[in-house]
C-alpha cells in the first residue's frame, strides 16, 4: 500500500524461483512448491547446516531449514498484493500459481491419522528457533506446530478461493498450466477442515505437540542478564529443546497476521471454538515463556495484543521501535538496521492501530489505537487510489485524493460508503474490548 511496484519485485523474486521450489518438493517426495527458509539467487536452501558456538567452541547443528511455514508467508504476501492492487492479470498469473502450489505442498505433507481422524504435519520447525526437535530424538523436527498448521489451513482456503475468483477462461488456463486434477480442490478443503491442533487444555493452544510436557525453565533465563540462551545451554551440554521457553513469538504469529474474525473462523471449523477468553489465556501462557532474543518478537507481540490489551501492545510497540534507536553506540545501526522490525512496526501502526485491512470487498477501517498513541498521519495506495489518513482525538479522518479516478469502497463499524475523489470521512475509534 506504499510502494506496490517494490512489493511486486519481491513477488517476482519468488515467482522466478517457483520451478526450483517445485523441484525441491519433488526431491522430498512431495507435491507443489517447497520454498527454502533461507534463499538466494538459485532458489535452493542456503541455511548452513552448522553454526559455531563462541562460548564452547563447538559446532551446533542448525536444522532451521525445516521452517516450512515460509511457504505460507509467500502465499500470504501474494494475496495481500492482489488485495492492494486488484490486478486481475496478477491474480491469474503469479498470485494464483504461488498460492496453489504452496497449498499443494501442504496437502501433500499433511498425513491423515486414522486414530485421530485428523491430518498431521510432522517433522517441521515453527517460527521459534529454540525448538528444533524433541529431547533425545534421533531426527530433528516437531509435530503439529500450531502456527504452521493454522497458516496451512489459511493457504488451502485461499487456493480454492482464487480458483473461484478467476473467470472461466483464466481458470481453465490455470488448471491446464498447473496440470490441476479435478479432485484436488476437494482434498484441499478436507485437509483445511481436518488439520490437528495441539492444546494444553481445551481453551489454550500449545506451541506444538508435546510443548507443555517439557521442563519449566529457570526464571532468570527469561528475564536475567545472561549470554544468548542456546549458546549458554549448549556450553553446559544442555539444550533449549528441553524447556518451555521460546526465542521469539511463535503461536502469537497467527494472532499478529490474521484478523480476529478470520482466525476464529478457522479455529471453529477445526472444531476448536476460540473466544476472547481463550485468546487471553493462550497469549498470556506464551508471553510468559518468550525470551525475545529476536528483533521481530516484540513487533509480533504488539500486533497480537492490539485488540486484547492495548496498553501491553503499546509497551511492546515502543520497545520494538527501540531495536535500533536504543542500541548502544558500538552496535545496532553500525552493524546494519533491522529492516524487519522497522517495517513490522509500521505494519502494527497501520494494520492494528489504525485498523486498515485489505479485503476483497474494499478497504476495512476499524481503528483501535492505544490511549498513548499521539496523532498519526500517513498516505497509502489502495487499488490505484490514494488515501490520506489522520488519527487524532479518538477518530480516524480519511480523505480521498482529488486526483483519484474512482471512488474507494470503505467498510467501518458504522456502515459502509463509497469515498469519491476529494471526499472525506471521519470514523470513530473502537472502544477497548
Amino acid at each position: 500500500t506504499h510502494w506496490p511496484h517494490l512489493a511486486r519485485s519481491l513477488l517476482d523474486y519468488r515467482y522466478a524461483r517457483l520451478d526450483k521450489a517445485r523441484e525441491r518438493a519433488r526431491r522430498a517426495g512431495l507435491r507443489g512448491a517447497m520454498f527454502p527458509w533461507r534463499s538466494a539467487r538459485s532458489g535452493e536452501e542456503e541455511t548452513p547446516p552448522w553454526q559455531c558456538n563462541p562460548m564452547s567452541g563447538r559446532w551446533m547443528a542448525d536444522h532451521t531449514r525445516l521452517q516450512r511455514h515460509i511457504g505460507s508467508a509467500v502465499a500470504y504476501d501474494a494475496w495481500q498484493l492482489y488485495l492492494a492492487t486488484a490486478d486481475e492479470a496478477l491474480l491469474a498469473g503469479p498470485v494464483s500459481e504461488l498460492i496453489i502450489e504452496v497449498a499443494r505442498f501442504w496437502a501433500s505433507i499433511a498425513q491423515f491419522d486414522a486414530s485421530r481422524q485428523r491430518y498431521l504435519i510432522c517433522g517441521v520447525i515453527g517460527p521459534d528457533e529454540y525448538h528444533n526437535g524433541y529431547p533425545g530424538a534421533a531426527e530433528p523436527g516437531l509435530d503439529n506446530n500450531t502456527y504452521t498448521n493454522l497458516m496451512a489451513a489459511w493457504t488451502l482456503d485461499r487456493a480454492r478461493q482464487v480458483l473461484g475468483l478467476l473467470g472461466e477462461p483464466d481458470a481453465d488456463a490455470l488448471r491446464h498450466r498447473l496440470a490441476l486434477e479435478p479432485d484436488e480442490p476437494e482434498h484441499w478443503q478436507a485437509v483445511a477442515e481436518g488439520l490437528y491442533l495441539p492444546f494444553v487444555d481445551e481453551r489454550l493452544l500449545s506451541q506444538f505437540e508435546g510443548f507443555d510436557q517439557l521442563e519449566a525453565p529457570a526464571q532468570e533465563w527469561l528475564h536475567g542478564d545472561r549470554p544468548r540462551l542456546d549458546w549458554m545451554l549448549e556450553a553446559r551440554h544442555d539444550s533449549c529443546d528441553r524447556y518451555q521457553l521460546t526465542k521469539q513469538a511463535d503461536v502469537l504469529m497467527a494472532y499478529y497476521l490474521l484478523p480476529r474474525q478470520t482466525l476464529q473462523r478457522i479455529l471453529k471449523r477445526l472444531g476448536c471454538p476460540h473466544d476472547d477468553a481463550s485468546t487471553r489465556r493462550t497469549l498470556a501462557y506464551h508471553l510468559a515463556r518468550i525470551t525475545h532474543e529476536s528483533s521481530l518478537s516484540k513487533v509480533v507481540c504488539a500486533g497480537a495484543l492490539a485488540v486484547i490489551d492495548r496498553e501491553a501492545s503499546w509497551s511492546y510497540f515502543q520497545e520494538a521501535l527501540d531495536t535500533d534507536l536504543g542500541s548502544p553506540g558500538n552496535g545496532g545501526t553500525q552493524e546494519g538496521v533491522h529492516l524487519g522490525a522497522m517495517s513490522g512496526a509500521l505494519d502494527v501502526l497501520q494494520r492494528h492501530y489504525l485498523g486498515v485491512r485489505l479485503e476483497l470487498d474494499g478497504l476495512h477501517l476499524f481503528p483501535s489505537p492505544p490511549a498513548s498513541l499521539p496523532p498519526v498521519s500517513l498516505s497509502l495506495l489502495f487499488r490505484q487510489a490514494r488515501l490520506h489518513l489522520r488519527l487524532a482525538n479518538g477518530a480516524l479522518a480519511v480523505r480521498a485524493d482529488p486526483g483519484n479516478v474512482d471512488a474507494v469502497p470503505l467498510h467501518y463499524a458504522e456502515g459502509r460508503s463509497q469515498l469519491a475523489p476529494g471526499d472525506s470521512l471521519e470514523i470513530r475509534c473502537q472502544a477497548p474490548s
Side-chain angles (χ1 to χ4, degrees):
T1 56
H2 293 273
W3 296 283
H5 62 290
L6 294 180
R8 175 62 192 263
S9 75
L10 297 177
L11 184 74
D12 290 343
Y13 169 84
R14 293 296 190 186
Y15 187 59
R17 288 152 184 82
L18 179 56
D19 281 342
K20 180 59 69 173
R22 290 174 173 132
E23 179 189 322
R24 296 185 70 249
R26 287 195 300 271
R27 293 202 303 256
L30 301 167
R31 301 184 69 184
M34 186 170 77
F35 282 96
W37 174 236
R38 291 183 175 92
S39 182
R41 175 176 292 186
S42 71
E44 287 286 5
E45 179 63 73
E46 302 294 345
T47 299
W50 302 91
Q51 56 174 283
C52 184
N53 181 352
M55 292 187 67
S56 68
R58 291 188 290 266
W59 289 91
M60 302 166 57
D62 187 343
H63 301 298
T64 54
R65 65 185 183 280
L66 295 176
Q67 293 196 60
R68 305 300 184 206
H69 59 85
I70 188 66
S72 293
V74 173
Y76 179 92
D77 290 342
W79 180 244
Q80 292 300 312
L81 185 58
Y82 169 65
L83 292 178
T85 61
D87 185 331
E88 297 303 323
L90 187 67
L91 177 67
V95 167
S96 288
E97 287 192 38
L98 287 166
I99 291 174
I100 286 174
E101 291 292 51
V102 174
R104 279 175 143 174
F105 170 77
W106 289 128
S108 175
I109 198 174
Q111 298 298 306
F112 187 71
D113 180 1
S115 66
R116 302 190 199 191
Q117 291 293 296
R118 289 283 173 180
Y119 287 92
L120 314 181
I121 297 178
C122 300
V124 300
I125 293 174
D128 166 35
E129 296 177 351
Y130 275 178
H131 287 93
N132 286 205
Y134 292 103
E139 297 294 330
L142 303 159
D143 297 342
N144 299 306
N145 172 258
T146 290
Y147 172 73
T148 300
N149 288 16
L150 286 171
M151 291 307 295
W154 181 92
T155 304
L156 291 158
D157 286 343
R158 293 294 77 69
R160 296 181 70 245
Q161 188 175 22
V162 296
L163 275 176
L165 288 171
L166 293 173
E168 202 57 40
D170 285 334
D172 286 343
L174 180 67
R175 291 188 187 99
H176 177 75
R177 203 159 63 243
L178 301 183
L180 197 62
E181 298 169 10
D183 62 343
E184 283 192 74
E186 184 178 347
H187 181 56
W188 300 341
Q189 182 176 1
V191 176
E193 295 178 353
L195 281 166
Y196 176 80
L197 293 178
F199 280 77
V200 176
D201 60 40
E202 62 181 14
R203 296 179 62 184
L204 201 165
L205 282 164
S206 186
Q207 182 169 316
F208 54 81
E209 195 166 3
F211 178 81
D212 57 309
Q213 302 302 311
L214 300 177
E215 295 182 35
Q219 283 303 299
E220 59 266 25
W221 294 356
L222 292 167
H223 308 294
D225 183 16
R226 51 159 179 74
R228 197 172 114 170
L229 194 60
D230 58 337
W231 291 350
M232 184 186 82
L233 290 179
E234 193 278 337
R236 300 176 180 178
H237 299 280
D238 202 348
S239 170
C240 293
D241 285 332
R242 294 180 53 216
Y243 301 98
Q244 291 184 41
L245 50 79
T246 63
K247 177 182 178 182
Q248 62 258 83
D250 191 298
V251 176
L252 275 68
M253 278 289 294
Y255 297 85
Y256 164 75
L257 278 180
L258 301 177
R260 179 165 55 170
Q261 298 87 343
T262 302
L263 181 57
Q264 288 179 340
R265 185 165 59 248
I266 293 172
L267 287 164
K268 182 178 180 180
R269 193 183 57 192
L270 290 172
C272 312
H274 201 66
D275 58 15
D276 285 352
S278 301
T279 297
R280 290 179 189 277
R281 284 200 64 204
T282 299
L283 296 183
Y285 177 87
H286 292 287
L287 284 167
R289 290 161 173 79
I290 302 176
T291 67
H292 299 294
E293 291 177 276
S294 162
S295 61
L296 298 178
S297 186
K298 291 180 179 178
V299 170
V300 173
C301 292
L305 287 163
V307 173
I308 294 296
D309 188 339
R310 294 186 193 178
E311 292 314 305
S313 169
W314 176 243
S315 178
Y316 280 115
F317 181 80
Q318 290 177 292
E319 291 179 41
L321 292 180
D322 275 344
T323 301
D324 285 315
L325 296 177
S327 296
N330 61 351
T333 53
Q334 291 190 18
E335 299 174 352
V337 296
H338 294 77
L339 284 175
M342 293 168 70
S343 58
L346 172 61
D347 182 50
V348 171
L349 180 68
Q350 178 173 308
R351 193 161 54 89
H352 291 282
Y353 293 168
L354 273 64
V356 178
R357 295 206 313 269
L358 316 178
E359 300 288 352
L360 276 174
D361 58 1
L363 195 66
H364 288 221
L365 298 168
F366 291 83
S368 55
S372 301
L373 182 68
V376 175
S377 297
L378 60 81
S379 296
L380 56 84
L381 281 170
F382 180 69
R383 299 174 188 174
Q384 294 76 54
R386 182 166 292 282
L387 298 174
H388 306 283
L389 281 60
R390 177 171 172 77
L391 180 75
N393 302 318
L396 179 66
V398 186
R399 179 172 62 88
D401 195 274
N404 292 347
V405 175
D406 298 312
V408 179
L410 300 182
H411 297 252
Y412 42 95
E414 294 84 0
R416 61 185 64 185
S417 66
Q418 295 282 334
L419 196 64
D423 282 359
S424 297
L425 177 71
E426 186 171 274
I427 300 167
R428 300 303 302 173
C429 294
Q430 294 180 287
S433 59

